[in-house]
């Protein structure tokens, strides 16, 4: 079906010029993505699933009164992000989604931070389909998630819906099941196969794909734009994974939408289908869920306040109470905010990463150098009192500290590879961006020529085409996730000297904070500009 591109604003969609009275069907697609455990409103009263339910109910009622229909979809990644959710394996989140009335969700890569047994339990809590047409069992090559697709009929118009998951998942998931049990097939080939079935067998009029592959592309996966351009017949892509605002872009007659993350917005895509030729026209809006801005020092709503649904709010109370009891313990204080802004930690060296690095080296003695990938940092550490929850939010995964002994050549080759793949590429917002701990790098014409110990008397450098070092062996550290090849880092787990210490990075930060009592942050900012230099 062919779509007409409309000029869209961020919050209010412009009206198209066609006569809505001649439309056969109005289908309203409501959507969110990258929830990451945020079932509760934040400390400023923003977002939260209870307010989302109120908004969803209103938008459903409105379209129904107009004679239309609605779908509610999620672009995936329900798991991993807040202590309030993680300690329950996202039980309140999935049960909350069921109460709101989600029709389906794409399977996200962070669903695989858990075992497959946990995923099955989450499916039971949710009560709606988990969709991914490109994940197969290694042993049987059969689809892991069933049904493979959905077909829904609205007043004679058949709509086919299927899901896709980023092919990067085995490199991004915290649990080994992703690598050991499943095949993540290429999304374009998988999509072509399902589109053919929907068109030829099911005779659908409209195809909606709910994806967790990213808007442009991931490191090894095509994204929504490539999908739309390569696969004819897709009418709508409801996206996720890259955590962006995508305001109804059109590529190859496919409308692509994405609603940032954490339930901050509810996307509203209205499709009008002409009676005679079934061409679809659209309008799009992003509805903020109690988001606020500062005006004269006070936080005010950027749109009308949405009251929280009282029943859903009450349902969450026991979960919240238990999580608060665990998380409220204050473990120390910090004299200055350490930013964990997503864009910063995925594109530049940060003081927060240096704090994490110190915690790792305090927990496991004798580490010469370490790397923390930017995707491991998920929140800022705010000035003032620091609780267990605050530290959990910085790194909400169960990752552990891993070490390995490397020769000068091995360390140089490892850092050179990581720099080439994640540091020197002009790719913003990359989770693999390396934060350097205990070392600094020097490049000449974008070639690594020297690694030096930071506040340590060691170096490895290329001199006259030969590698020289004043130290023979190095103890290098990273988290078990990247040591296994996560984020496309070189694997270290096969090295004879590899050790997964079992110490969780969360716990290491808590131990350091409890030891220091008051964290003075000047030293974490001190050498940031010196860590990477170019000749």
């Amino acid at each position: 079906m062919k779509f007409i591109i409309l000029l869209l604003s961020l919050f209010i969609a412009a009206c198209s010029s066609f006569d809505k009275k001649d439309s056969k069907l109005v289908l309203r697609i409501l959507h969110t993505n990258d929830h990451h455990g945020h079932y509760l409103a934040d400390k400023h009263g923003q977002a939260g699933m209870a307010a989302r339910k109120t908004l969803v109910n209103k938008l459903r009622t409105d379209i129904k009164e107009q004679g239309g229909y609605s779908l509610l979809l999620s672009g995936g990644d329900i798991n991993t992000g807040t202590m309030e959710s993680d300690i329950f394996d996202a039980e309140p989140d999935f049960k909350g989604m069921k109460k709101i009335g989600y029709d389906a969700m794409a399977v996200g890569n962070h669903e695989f931070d858990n075992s497959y047994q946990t995923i099955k339990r989450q499916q039971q809590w949710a009560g709606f389909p988990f969709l991914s047409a490109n994940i197969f069992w290694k042993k049987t090559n059969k689809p892991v998630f069933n049904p493979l697709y959905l077909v829904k009929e609205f007043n004679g118009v058949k709509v086919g819906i299927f899901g896709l998951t980023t092919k990067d998942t085995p490199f991004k998931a915290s649990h080994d099941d992703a690598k050991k049990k499943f095949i993540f097939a290429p999304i374009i080939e998988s999509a072509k196969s399902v589109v053919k079935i929907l068109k030829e067998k099911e005779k659908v009029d409209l195809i909606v794909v709910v994806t967790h592959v990213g808007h442009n592309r991931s490191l090894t996966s095509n994204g929504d734009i490539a999908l739309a351009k390569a696969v004819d017949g897709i009418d709508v892509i409801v996206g996720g994974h890259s955590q962006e605002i995508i305001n109804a872009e059109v590529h190859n007659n496919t409308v692509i939408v994405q609603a940032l993350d954490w339930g901050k917005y509810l996307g509203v895509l209205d499709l009008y289908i002409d009676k005679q030729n079934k061409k679809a026209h659209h309008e799009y809006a992003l509805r903020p869920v109690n988001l606020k801005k500062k005006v004269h020092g006070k936080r005010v709503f950027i749109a009308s306040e949405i009251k929280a649904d009282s029943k859903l709010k009450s349902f969450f109370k026991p979960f919240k109470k238990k999580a608060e009891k665990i998380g409220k313990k204050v473990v120390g204080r910090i004299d200055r905010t350490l930013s964990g802004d997503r864009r910063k930690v995925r594109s530049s060296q940060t003081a927060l990463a240096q704090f994490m690095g110190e915690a790792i080296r305090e927990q496991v003695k004798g580490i010469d150098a370490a790397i923390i990938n930017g995707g491991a940092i998920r929140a800022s550490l705010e000035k003032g009192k620091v609780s267990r929850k605050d530290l959990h939010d910085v790194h909400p995964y169960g990752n552990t500290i891993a070490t390995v002994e490397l020769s000068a050549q091995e360390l140089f080759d490892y850092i050179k590879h990581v720099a080439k793949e994640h540091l020197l590429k002009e790719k913003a917002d990359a989770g693999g961006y390396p934060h350097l701990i205990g070392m600094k790098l020097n490049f000449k014409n974008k070639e690594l020529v020297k690694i030096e110990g930071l506040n340590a008397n060691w170096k490895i450098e290329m001199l006259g085409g030969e590698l020289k070092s004043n130290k023979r062996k190095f103890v290098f550290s990273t988290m078990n996730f990247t040591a296994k090849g996560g984020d496309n880092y070189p694997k270290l787990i096969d090295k004879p000297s590899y050790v997964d210490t079992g110490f969780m990075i969360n716990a290491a930060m808590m131990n350091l904070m409890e030891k220091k009592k008051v964290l003075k942050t000047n030293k974490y900012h001190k050498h940031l500009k010196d860590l990477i230099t170019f000749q």
Side-chain angles (χ1 to χ4, degrees), residues 147-166:
L148 187 64
Y149 57 81
L150 303 175
V151 176
K152 292 181 177 286
E153 189 166 334
F154 303 100
N155 194 22
V157 175
K158 292 178 75 176
V159 180
I161 307 162
F162 68 96
L164 294 165
T165 305
T166 178

Side-chain angles (χ1 to χ4, degrees), residues 39-40 83-85 87-88 91 316-329 388:
Y39 66 92
L40 299 172
M83 189 188 72
E84 294 94 339
S85 171
I87 62 175
F88 303 113
E91 180 183 354
F316 288 144
K317 276 184 179 179
F319 295 101
K320 182 182 177 184
K321 187 176 180 180
K322 185 175 180 180
E324 284 176 346
K325 187 176 180 179
I326 294 169
K328 68 182 180 181
K329 182 184 176 184
R388 290 172 58 95

Side-chain angles (χ1 to χ4, degrees), residues 49 60 72-73 78 90-105 118-131 145-147 150 152 315:
M49 293 180 76
R60 277 184 174 141
L72 178 57
L73 303 172
I78 310 306
E91 180 183 354
D93 310 77
F94 283 107
K95 287 184 174 178
M97 291 174 75
K98 183 177 182 179
K99 290 177 182 296
I100 293 173
Y102 275 77
D103 292 285
M105 64 169 263
T118 298
I119 294 172
K120 288 202 300 183
R121 203 161 71 248
Q122 291 174 338
Q123 286 178 294
Q124 292 174 346
W125 292 334
F128 54 78
F130 286 21
L131 298 177
F145 295 95
N146 291 295
L150 303 175
K152 292 181 177 286
F315 172 75

Side-chain angles (χ1 to χ4, degrees), residues 24-29 63-64 67-71 153-155:
K24 179 180 180 182
L25 171 78
V26 180
L27 176 60
R28 173 166 286 174
I29 299 177
I63 203 69
K64 187 176 181 180
Y69 306 85
S70 63
L71 282 171
E153 189 166 334
F154 303 100
N155 194 22

Side-chain angles (χ1 to χ4, degrees), residues 24 60 63 69 72 102 162 195 209 219 222 237 241 305 308 322 342 352 366 403 408 462 487:
K24 179 180 180 182
R60 277 184 174 141
I63 203 69
Y69 306 85
L72 178 57
Y102 275 77
F162 68 96
V195 166
V209 188
L219 290 174
N222 295 110
I237 293 175
H241 187 50
E305 181 182 2
K322 185 175 180 180
R342 179 184 173 90
L352 181 52
T403 65
M462 290 295 298
D487 271 342

Side-chain angles (χ1 to χ4, degrees), residues 403-406 410 492-499:
T403 65
V404 64
E405 189 176 73
L406 300 175
E410 287 174 323
L492 295 172
I493 57 174
D494 297 329
K495 298 281 186 185
S497 59
Y498 174 78
V499 175

